[in-house]
Amino acid sequence: MWKEHPDPEPGAGDLLVAVRAAGINAADLMQRRGLYPAPPGAPVDIPGLEFAGEVVAAGAGTSRFGVGDRVMAITGGGGQGQLVVVPETIALPVPDAVGWDRAGGFPEAYSTAYDALFTQARLGAGERVLISGAAGGVGTAAVQLAHAAGAEVLASVRNPERRAEVAGLGADLVVDPDEVAAHAPYDVSLELIGGANVATTLPLMAVGGRTVVIGVGAGARIELNLLALMASRSTIGGSMLRARTVDEKSAVARLVEEHAVPLLASKVVDVQVAERFPMARAEEAYERFASGGKFGKLILVEE
Amino acid sequence: MWKEHPDPEPGAGDLLVAVRAAGINAADLMQRRGLYPAPPGAPVDIPGLEFAGEVVAAGAGTSRFGVGDRVMAITGGGGQGQLVVVPETIALPVPDAVGWDRAGGFPEAYSTAYDALFTQARLGAGERVLISGAAGGVGTAAVQLAHAAGAEVLASVRNPERRAEVAGLGADLVVDPDEVAAHAPYDVSLELIGGANVATTLPLMAVGGRTVVIGVGAGARIELNLLALMASRSTIGGSMLRARTVDEKSAVARLVEEHAVPLLASKVVDVQVAERFPMARAEEAYERFASGGKFGKLILVEE
């Protein structure tokens, strides 16, 4: 598992970061199974969409971060290597009070949740948001961000043992997926499950409602009744961070730094760490991820 | 066909209008076939989603229009009767230079096109819009409104004989539906066809693109690949005017009055009248509508 690679070099505008912690995401497993190729420019054999670590070298033209600074970032891949190169514009500062493990699990989950809820779905204070599949990394981030923004949060969680924990994050109500119809309508639906769940929740949307699909573990092909969209004037959209350009990722990073990192620093939101694994035991961590049912993130840490 | 009905009475805030002309729409045919019930409060046996005529009585509390004024409006049904009652807030003034026939075919097509392009899809100047099925009543309105707003308009028209006419309305390019892929990507897709056409155009959308479905003649149930939405961060939405509340229709009327009626008055846009039929020959007009291939609207006129 732990392969030797030449040390990456920071180019102009890049930071070279010694990784201290890296969160595991569903896309890592898909990439390892050959289902989800690494994007152009990312290492094909090192997974890792997010990491936190210490800057060990800064390329020409960098201005904000220097050697020894603590940063965290999303990346197209390679975040689970020992050294990673990242454009400075994508890096976020790690607040002083936040440990490496939580920082390593923050960028992907919180950037994904923030972008989906606020940029894509334009969730507003007082609106009702359904978060389907709320116990995972992105789900726990989304519940906290939506609650902090003044939305009314209804979370669906399949595993009954996880419901009290999700409620503790600020969800107004946590129910089984089979019970979400009883609490409709919803202004926003954050879809982390995919498949038939999308068609099930569509008729539950309020007039002008917005469904944003960011996970398709239950399937990507669905049957859609266009008349249901027309009657409610609601929309179905989707989003992923991984395929975006550096400029697009930089734009997300600035929004997250402005709106979500301060909430992390002040503990209004926090990264739920389900379990930590040493980098050398990454295989075990992937197996644990694949088995599901966790609350929050699995994090690989340098020891 | 021409049945006797008791004269409607204008209630508080309502106008009683002597109908002079009324456009025919797809929903009229669906209602006549029993496929699309009249909404609550609308007469069940008089079709007609739009009309123009002269005010013959004004209910208590009306303030803007009086007896003799020329008005046009969308309505939940009954627009093809001799007398129709409409809330004053939904009525639009008919510009002096506009004849009854064109006024009778304006409200539904232009309100539908305006709402879909600008309120639902947020089409902006300089964006590229695909209008699929551009030769009909709503399509011809949409081409003109999008062109007037500074968008780049690509129209698809199945019937080759109609392409020059659609180009004459301001479309930058008019092509066969099979050729739209060659001119992608599109920021906005106005979908007047439905069915498989939606899935065909989805991969042609630009990042952040918006598909708005307002017609499903080719079918309402489609198969959708959620990964295509996620990759392009595009949305699919739908809209219909008919089922909206009076308040919602009033809001649409104010936008149309502010932005589209002045374009009609100054002939920047115009209602394309394919054919006129006397009210007494409505059956013939419906048959003509069902046979398709027309350019613009079929209008029933009082003689």
Side-chain angles (χ1 to χ4, degrees):
Chain A
M1 167 63 205
W2 207 230
K3 299 181 191 169
E4 288 295 325
H5 287 83
D7 282 359
E9 287 285 333
D14 289 341
L15 303 173
L16 179 64
V17 180
V19 174
R20 296 299 191 86
I24 292 181
N25 292 279
D28 298 333
L29 274 79
M30 291 173 69
Q31 181 173 329
R32 283 164 52 87
R33 288 178 197 147
L35 298 174
Y36 199 42
V44 297
D45 57 347
I46 310 178
L49 296 183
E50 61 182 347
F51 64 90
E54 206 172 301
V55 176
V56 292
T62 55
S63 57
R64 182 174 181 197
F65 295 111
V67 171
D69 283 343
R70 301 171 80 226
V71 296
M72 55 186 175
I74 59 172
T75 173
Q80 293 161 21
Q82 287 170 303
L83 289 168
V84 61
V85 171
V86 65
E88 185 184 47
T89 55
I90 291 181
L92 300 166
V94 177
D96 288 341
V98 177
W100 286 122
D101 56 347
R102 287 152 58 218
F106 178 87
E108 177 72 13
Y110 276 81
S111 298
T112 298
Y114 184 89
D115 179 79
L117 288 173
F118 302 108
T119 302
Q120 309 298 327
R122 305 180 305 282
L123 177 66
E127 287 197 312
R128 306 192 72 226
V129 56
L130 171 65
I131 299 174
S132 294
V138 176
T140 54
V143 167
Q144 295 176 80
L145 287 173
H147 174 66
E152 189 181 338
V153 179
L154 193 134
S156 82
V157 175
R158 181 65 73 190
N159 185 342
E161 292 171 24
R162 294 284 167 258
R163 285 185 203 140
E165 291 163 310
V166 173
L169 299 176
D172 294 277
L173 199 59
V174 185
V175 301
D176 185 85
D178 293 337
E179 292 163 10
V180 299
H183 306 281
Y186 303 102
D187 301 297
V188 168
S189 170
L190 185 68
E191 179 62 59
L192 290 153
I193 296 172
N197 200 59
V198 180
T200 304
T201 55
L202 183 59
L204 310 180
M205 300 307 290
V207 167
R210 291 87 70 196
T211 296
V212 176
V213 180
I214 55 175
V216 291
R221 291 195 172 270
I222 65 162
E223 190 180 81
L224 183 66
N225 182 351
L226 296 170
L227 286 172
L229 283 182
M230 291 169 72
S232 66
R233 306 198 293 282
S234 74
T235 62
I236 296 185
S239 178
M240 62 170 76
L241 293 179
R242 188 164 176 268
R244 298 194 198 181
T245 66
V246 168
D247 281 351
E248 290 171 333
K249 288 178 179 173
S250 301
V252 174
R254 294 292 74 71
L255 288 170
V256 169
E257 181 169 351
E258 185 177 350
H259 298 290
V261 173
L263 300 176
L264 175 69
S266 59
K267 299 213 173 181
V268 171
V269 304
D270 206 353
V271 177
Q272 306 305 311
V273 178
E275 237 172 302
R276 289 165 197 76
F277 293 83
M279 289 276 183
R281 284 168 51 208
E283 286 294 335
E284 198 181 320
Y286 288 125
E287 281 164 27
R288 175 71 191 88
F289 191 102
S291 71
K294 65 195 169 44
F295 176 67
K297 303 274 303 188
L298 301 183
I299 311 287
L300 299 176
V301 290
E302 273 292 331
E303 285 181 311
Chain B
M1 167 65 204
W2 207 231
K3 296 182 192 169
E4 288 295 325
H5 287 82
D7 282 1
E9 288 284 332
D14 288 342
L15 304 173
L16 179 64
V17 180
V19 174
R20 295 301 191 86
I24 292 181
N25 291 279
D28 299 333
L29 275 79
M30 291 174 69
Q31 182 173 329
R32 283 165 51 87
R33 289 180 196 145
L35 298 174
Y36 199 42
V44 296
D45 57 349
I46 310 178
L49 296 183
E50 62 181 345
F51 65 91
E54 206 172 301
V55 177
V56 292
T62 55
S63 57
R64 180 173 181 197
F65 295 112
V67 172
D69 282 345
R70 301 169 82 225
V71 296
M72 56 187 174
I74 58 170
T75 173
Q80 292 161 20
Q82 288 169 303
L83 290 167
V84 62
V85 170
V86 65
E88 187 185 43
T89 55
I90 291 179
L92 301 165
V94 177
D96 288 340
V98 177
W100 286 123
D101 56 347
R102 287 152 58 219
F106 179 86
E108 177 72 13
Y110 277 81
S111 298
T112 298
Y114 184 89
D115 179 80
L117 287 174
F118 302 106
T119 302
Q120 308 300 326
R122 305 181 304 282
L123 178 65
E127 287 196 311
R128 306 192 73 224
V129 57
L130 170 65
I131 299 175
S132 294
V138 175
T140 54
V143 167
Q144 294 176 79
L145 288 173
H147 174 66
E152 189 181 339
V153 179
L154 193 134
S156 82
V157 176
R158 180 65 72 188
N159 185 342
E161 292 172 25
R162 295 285 167 257
R163 284 183 204 142
E165 291 162 310
V166 172
L169 299 176
D172 294 276
L173 200 58
V174 185
V175 302
D176 184 85
D178 293 336
E179 292 163 10
V180 299
H183 305 281
Y186 303 102
D187 300 298
V188 169
S189 170
L190 185 67
E191 178 61 60
L192 289 153
I193 295 171
N197 200 60
V198 180
T200 303
T201 55
L202 183 59
L204 309 180
M205 301 306 292
V207 167
R210 292 87 69 196
T211 295
V212 176
V213 181
I214 56 175
V216 291
R221 292 195 171 270
I222 64 162
E223 191 180 81
L224 183 67
N225 182 352
L226 296 171
L227 286 172
L229 283 181
M230 293 169 71
S232 66
R233 305 197 295 282
S234 74
T235 62
I236 295 185
S239 178
M240 61 171 77
L241 293 178
R242 189 164 175 268
R244 297 195 198 181
T245 65
V246 167
D247 281 353
E248 289 170 333
K249 288 178 179 171
S250 301
V252 174
R254 294 293 73 74
L255 288 170
V256 169
E257 183 169 349
E258 184 177 351
H259 299 288
V261 174
L263 300 176
L264 175 69
S266 60
K267 299 213 174 183
V268 171
V269 304
D270 205 352
V271 177
Q272 307 305 312
V273 178
E275 236 174 301
R276 289 164 198 77
F277 294 83
M279 289 276 183
R281 284 168 50 209
E283 286 295 333
E284 199 180 318
Y286 289 124
E287 281 162 29
R288 175 69 191 87
F289 191 102
S291 71
K294 65 196 168 42
F295 176 68
K297 303 274 302 187
L298 302 182
I299 311 286
L300 300 177
V301 291
E302 272 293 329
E303 285 181 311

